[in-house]
């Protein structure tokens, strides 16, 4: 979600910067070209002023002597104009020409240049003949190195266009200036993008922090840690209200579960006394029964004992669900050895050997009483199903983030479908209905481990058997 949200924000910011940067870049290029065009038009106007009047008009206006003197003066001005045009070309590198209306050259530089007949140059020349100056030549971009910038201005005498001043400038310096300006704009946009990325990261963290807190609290409650709540913090007001609603919902769920567990515990406790009284009356009635009813009496006793065991397990499960253990650093190796010593007489009675393997010290965060009770339930289950003469192995392992105790039995094991259901309340495999038990032992073990932050898992053993793993977190700092 963080990646997607960051991607959306950065995409929007990139679009905004592009929407601002592209028009700005185009405007900068247009401004640079406009400056060059205005400069060339000023130069053209200056050359247009220096162009002498046509000789025929001057001769018609005065005497022969005056015309001769004027023609001599015009010739001198034309020589000066040609020299100035040549210097202009040498200084700026731009081709420049003064052309009569018929296209003949009056003064040009370089000397072999002719008025263009195609392209924008020809169009500018024609516009000048029509009395208009070039004001909007096609835009020159940095990626068009073969372009030249043609600017033409008319030479007007007595309201008539008598000549045209045409300049054709190389665009290298203009493209370099545009590119430099674009680099400055690009650097500014890159800096703006870096700032935008930092702001987007901060904004994403601010928005997702309550979501992550809510996710952790939901996971904790889903895995049995019912006291998990969302701590008040920052974030959008909508998510803060959602966190408050989640805490209220969790409180109601915990209250409902506590009431349900209390009912089970109270019912189990209240049923034990009537059941004990009932079994006592059955024993008294058995003393007065005539011979031949021992089998029926034995069946009633067996069912009564079984019902009493179920009530005891229900009470134990309710007690485990109410437990709020405080995990503490616990040496699971020492705890396993202690439980093996406690169960060794039962194992010997059933012809099963208890063996173990593991490090001499394995510190995990566990409630010793709760973990010991869970291990008792698993060991009881393993001893029930292991055949006589087969060992029950206990392996203590220190993993990266947890300390695990795995109990391997050599019993018939479970199928994949049964592995998915083992540990559910009152669930027993149809193949093991004749084995003594209520179906609550592994449920109690799982509840005790979950309450302390641990877990209980099951796996098959080759060629036969079941592996039950009790895991708790490692001690912090180990």
């Amino acid at each position: 979600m963080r990646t997607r949200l960051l991607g959306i924000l950065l995409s929007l910011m990139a679009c905004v910067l592009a929407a601002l940067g592209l028009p700005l870049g185009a405007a900068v290029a247009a401004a640079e070209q406009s400056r060059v065009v205005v400069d060339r038009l000023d130069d053209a106007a200056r050359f247009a002023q220096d162009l002498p009047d046509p000789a025929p008009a001057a001769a018609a206006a005065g005497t022969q002597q005056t015309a001769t003197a004027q023609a001599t003066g015009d010739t001198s001005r034309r020589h000066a104009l040609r020299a100035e045009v040549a210097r202009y070309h040498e200084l700026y590198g731009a081709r420049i020409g003064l052309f009569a209306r018929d296209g003949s050259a009056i003064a040009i530089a370089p000397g072999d240049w002719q008025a263009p007949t195609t392209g924008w140059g020809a169009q500018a020349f024609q516009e000048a003949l029509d009395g208009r100056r070039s004001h909007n030549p096609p835009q020159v971009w940095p990626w068009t190195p073969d372009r030249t910038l043609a600017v033409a201005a008319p030479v007007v005498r007595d309201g008539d266009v008598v000549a045209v001043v045409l300049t054709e400038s190389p665009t290298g310096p203009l493209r370099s200036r545009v590119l430099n300006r674009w680099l400055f704009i690009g650097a500014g946009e890159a800096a703006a993008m870096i700032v935008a990325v930092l702001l987007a990261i901060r904004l994403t963290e601010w928005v997702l922090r309550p979501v992550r807190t809510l996710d952790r609290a939901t996971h904790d409650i889903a895995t049995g840690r019912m006291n998990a709540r969302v701590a008040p913090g920052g974030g959008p007001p909508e998510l803060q209200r959602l966190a408050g609603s989640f805490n209220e919902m969790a409180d109601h769920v915990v209250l409902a579960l506590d009431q349900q567990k209390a009912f089970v515990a109270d019912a189990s406790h209240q049923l034990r006394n009537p059941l004990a009284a009932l079994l006592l009356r059955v024993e008294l009635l058995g003393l007065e029964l005539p011979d031949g009813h021992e089998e029926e009496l034995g069946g009633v006793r067996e069912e009564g004992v079984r019902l009493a065991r179920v009530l005891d397990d229900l009470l134990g499960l309710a007690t485990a669900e109410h437990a709020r253990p405080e995990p503490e650093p616990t040496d699971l190796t020492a705890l396993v050895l202690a439980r093996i010593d406690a169960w060794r007489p039962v194992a010997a009675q059933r012809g099963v050997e208890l063996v173990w393997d593991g490090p001499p010290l394995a510190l995990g965060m566990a409630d010793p009483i709760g973990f010991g009770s869970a291990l008792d339930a698993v060991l009881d289950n393993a001893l029930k199903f292991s055949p006589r003469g087969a060992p029950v192995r206990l392996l203590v392992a220190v993993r990266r983030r947890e300390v695990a105790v795995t109990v391997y039995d050599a019993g018939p094991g479970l199928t994949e479908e049964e592995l998915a259901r083992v540990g559910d309340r009152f669930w027993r495999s149809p193949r093991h209905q004749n084995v003594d038990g209520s179906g609550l032992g592994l449920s109690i073990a799982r509840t005790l481990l979950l309450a302390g932050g641990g877990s209980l898992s099951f796996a098959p053993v080759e060629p036969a058997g079941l592996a039950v793993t009790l895991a708790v977190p490692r001690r912090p700092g180990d």
Side-chain angles (χ1 to χ4, degrees):
M1 183 175 181
R2 180 178 182 272
T3 303
R4 288 194 292 270
L5 186 56
L6 264 179
I8 293 173
L9 290 175
L10 294 180
S11 299
L12 291 176
M13 293 176 180
C15 291
V16 171
L17 290 177
L20 295 175
L22 293 179
L24 179 60
V28 167
E32 289 292 336
Q33 178 167 314
S34 177
R35 189 176 298 113
V36 174
V37 169
V38 170
D39 184 63
R40 295 298 180 267
L41 287 175
D42 292 342
D43 296 340
R46 182 171 59 82
F47 282 108
Q49 290 177 354
D50 294 341
L51 181 66
D53 294 336
T63 62
Q64 183 64 33
Q65 186 177 2
T66 303
T68 301
Q70 187 171 0
T72 302
D74 290 346
T75 300
S76 175
R77 292 177 59 187
R78 286 173 185 268
H79 282 296
L81 183 61
R82 291 191 184 97
E84 189 173 355
V85 165
R87 286 196 301 272
Y88 183 88
H89 171 66
E90 292 176 359
L91 182 62
Y92 297 105
R95 290 182 286 190
I96 183 170
L98 283 82
F99 299 94
R101 286 192 62 88
D102 57 358
S104 59
I106 302 173
I108 58 174
D112 57 347
W113 187 46
Q114 297 179 353
T117 57
T118 59
W120 169 252
Q123 182 179 346
F125 189 88
Q126 184 59 45
E127 289 179 351
L129 290 178
D130 296 339
R132 302 191 303 272
R133 298 194 305 174
S134 303
H135 62 281
N136 189 23
Q139 180 64 50
V140 174
W141 302 106
W143 54 83
T144 54
D146 54 339
R147 283 282 312 281
T148 56
L149 190 62
V151 175
V155 180
V156 181
R157 295 289 186 272
D158 298 330
D160 297 326
V161 177
V162 299
V164 171
V165 180
L166 178 65
T167 64
E168 195 173 79
S169 306
T171 58
L174 171 63
R175 288 185 285 108
S176 297
R177 288 196 300 272
V178 172
L179 190 59
N180 289 334
R181 297 291 299 272
W182 283 7
L183 289 177
F184 279 112
I185 295 175
E189 291 217 334
M193 194 63 192
I194 292 174
V195 175
V197 169
L198 296 177
L199 291 177
I201 292 174
R202 293 293 301 272
L203 179 62
T204 303
E205 293 294 330
W206 179 70
V207 171
L208 293 184
R209 187 180 299 113
V211 176
R212 284 196 292 269
T213 305
L214 187 61
D215 179 64
R216 284 195 296 269
T218 305
H219 179 267
D220 290 343
I221 290 178
T223 53
R225 290 183 282 274
M226 305 302 294
N227 58 346
R229 295 293 184 274
V230 180
E238 293 82 1
L239 292 180
Q240 294 183 25
R241 286 196 296 271
L242 178 61
S245 301
F246 175 84
N247 288 338
E248 293 178 3
M249 182 196 67
D251 291 339
H252 288 300
V253 170
V254 170
L255 179 61
L257 289 177
D258 288 343
Q259 291 175 346
Q260 181 183 6
K261 295 170 186 174
F263 172 77
V264 172
D266 294 342
S268 302
H269 187 268
Q270 293 299 324
L271 286 175
R272 292 176 67 185
N273 291 335
L275 179 60
L278 180 61
L279 291 176
L280 180 59
R281 290 180 180 273
V282 168
E283 293 296 334
L284 294 176
L285 287 176
L287 296 175
E288 298 178 0
L289 282 177
D291 295 338
H293 296 278
E294 288 79 7
E295 184 175 355
E296 290 80 0
L297 182 61
V300 172
R301 289 171 178 163
E302 183 178 352
E303 291 300 324
V305 171
R306 182 179 177 184
L307 181 58
R309 186 179 300 114
V310 170
L311 290 177
D312 289 341
D313 287 344
L314 277 175
L315 188 58
L317 179 61
T319 303
E321 290 177 338
H322 274 290
R324 297 290 184 269
E326 294 294 336
E328 60 186 52
T330 303
D331 183 5
L332 295 187
T333 297
L335 193 149
V336 166
L337 293 176
R339 300 322 302 160
I340 288 177
D341 291 340
W343 280 91
R344 202 178 298 281
V346 179
Q349 185 180 5
R350 297 180 182 178
V352 177
E353 182 184 6
L354 291 175
V355 296
W356 82 280
D357 189 14
L361 180 65
L363 290 176
M365 297 301 295
D367 171 38
I369 297 177
F371 192 91
S373 300
L375 183 58
D376 287 344
V378 174
L379 279 174
D380 180 45
N381 206 59
L383 292 175
K384 286 178 184 175
F385 291 100
S386 289
R388 182 174 290 273
V392 170
R393 297 181 295 113
L394 290 89
L395 175 64
V396 181
V398 179
R399 299 172 180 171
R400 182 179 179 183
R401 296 183 177 178
E402 61 184 13
V403 181
V405 177
T406 304
V407 180
Y408 299 89
D409 66 44
L414 299 174
T415 64
E416 291 187 3
E417 294 180 356
E418 292 171 338
L419 284 174
R421 295 200 57 191
V422 64
D424 294 347
R425 295 176 183 176
F426 297 108
W427 182 86
R428 301 180 67 189
S429 172
R431 297 179 289 128
H432 306 151
Q433 295 296 327
N434 58 340
V435 179
D436 188 23
S438 62
L440 289 173
L442 294 180
S443 298
I444 296 173
R446 172 175 285 174
T447 302
L448 290 171
L449 289 173
L450 289 178
S455 63
L456 184 69
S457 59
F458 305 90
V461 175
E462 296 294 339
L466 180 67
V468 184
T469 301
L470 304 86
V472 296
R474 290 186 62 177
R475 189 179 68 171
D478 286 349

